[in-house]
Amino acid sequence: KEPEATIVEKLKDVTLYEGEDAVFECRLSRETTRDAQWFLGDVPLQSNEMNEIQVQGTRHTLTLRKVTLEDCGPISFKVGQHTSAA
């Protein structure tokens, strides 16, 4: 059984202007094969032309491209029992 990864570097709040890219970053205690998931409010995010989700080792990054006022809201990152929000 894989040891649980914990969040060691939490999300930080981001303030920007419409049309800019918002970048959120989380770092885990270890690399994990477990499902890590990003959310905007209660909506799970997928990687597509507007949202870029990257994993580099223990670093998980979410980029929201060309944000609008509708994108305003809580972003959260969940892995196992652990959550970080901004």
Side-chain angles (χ1 to χ4, degrees), residues 38-81:
W38 290 95
F39 293 87
L40 173 56
D42 296 329
V43 180
L45 297 175
Q46 306 294 323
S47 226
N48 57 34
E49 67 279 349
M50 295 306 292
N51 312 319
E52 184 184 346
I53 296 172
Q54 290 183 300
V55 180
Q56 292 175 308
T58 59
R59 182 184 303 275
H60 291 251
T61 309
L62 167 68
T63 304
L64 300 179
R65 304 227 176 272
K66 297 185 174 52
V67 297
T68 65
L69 287 173
E70 287 77 51
D71 297 319
C72 188
I75 293 285
S76 57
F77 175 80
K78 295 180 183 167
V79 61
Q81 307 294 313

Side-chain angles (χ1 to χ4, degrees), residues 5-65:
T6 58
I7 298 172
V8 292
E9 197 175 296
K10 295 191 176 289
L11 294 176
K12 294 176 179 63
D13 289 339
V14 173
T15 304
L16 33 81
Y17 294 101
E18 269 194 294
E20 293 182 327
D21 292 351
V23 179
F24 297 91
E25 223 174 61
C26 232
R27 192 192 305 260
L28 302 181
S29 57
R30 57 189 305 284
E31 290 186 41
T32 180
T33 54
R34 214 171 238 241
D35 288 342
Q37 180 69 61
W38 290 95
F39 293 87
L40 173 56
D42 296 329
V43 180
L45 297 175
Q46 306 294 323
S47 226
N48 57 34
E49 67 279 349
M50 295 306 292
N51 312 319
E52 184 184 346
I53 296 172
Q54 290 183 300
V55 180
Q56 292 175 308
T58 59
R59 182 184 303 275
H60 291 251
T61 309
L62 167 68
T63 304
L64 300 179
R65 304 227 176 272

